[in-house]
Amino acid sequence: SAVISQKPSRDICQRGTSLTIQCQVDSQVTMMFWYRQQPGQSLTLIATANQGSEATYESGFVIDKFPISRPNLTFSTLTVSNMSPEDSSIYLCSVLIASDEQYFGPGTRLTVT
Amino acid sequence: GENVEQHPSTLSVQEGDSAVIKCTYSDSASNYFPWYKQELGKRPQLIIDIRSNVGEKKDQRIAVTLNKTAKHFSLHITETQPEDSAVYFCAASMGGATNKLIFGTGTLLAVQP
């Protein structure tokens, strides 16, 4: 497996502002993903972070709201833009190890007031 | 669209009993089926997975079975212990890509000492 860290671990933000979440891995990985987990709910894939190119977004998620960067094979950021209370969730990055095993970061708990 | 149904949503067992969680998927092209355990406030942890060319896989007290014809897969935990208490999520790969996952709704397992 790999050691995956996220910053910040939690934050409380005002509506209308933006927050950038960082995901760092201790080894190079081919694929990184961003998920959202709303309170008491399951995990939903937001997008695949592609190294050196634009992220691939799932249905219901758009780049203007969730811009993603992946400048290298160990780091990615997710920005939650123009936040509203409905964006209050846990945001998790995951990385692909071996051919298909995904391992998750510790998550960022976001509260929007 | 693609979805994964998971049952039951809650499960309470006595310590030492077995627990079974069942999932059904809709995409016939799914070929990778991981299970995650999420303790309160923690990240999801991969506990076991199965690929479509295998019908059953065991790892100590946990086992997973797959019926591709019926599009069912199940998690079996034997000799449950209080530390098995957590939310369990099944997932299935989207289409032919094993690295994109769609998650079930989760099962809260409570093991009573």
Side-chain angles (χ1 to χ4, degrees), chain A residues 31-38 41-50 55-62 66 68 78 90-96 102-104, chain B residues 2 36 91-95 97-104:
Chain A
M31 301 191 76
M32 298 178 76
F33 306 89
W34 287 98
Y35 288 81
R36 181 174 72 184
Q37 186 174 29
Q38 295 178 305
Q41 302 295 313
S42 184
L43 295 92
T44 301
L45 179 63
I46 297 172
T48 303
N50 301 310
T56 305
Y57 290 85
E58 298 302 312
S59 176
F61 298 97
V62 295
F66 297 102
I68 288 170
L78 168 75
I90 298 172
Y91 291 87
L92 300 116
C93 66
S94 73
V95 303
L96 197 68
Q102 282 193 38
Y103 293 88
F104 285 87
Chain B
E2 301 152 344
Y36 288 85
S93 59
M94 295 185 195
T98 59
N99 50 52
K100 292 176 64 172
L101 299 176
I102 182 167
F103 281 78

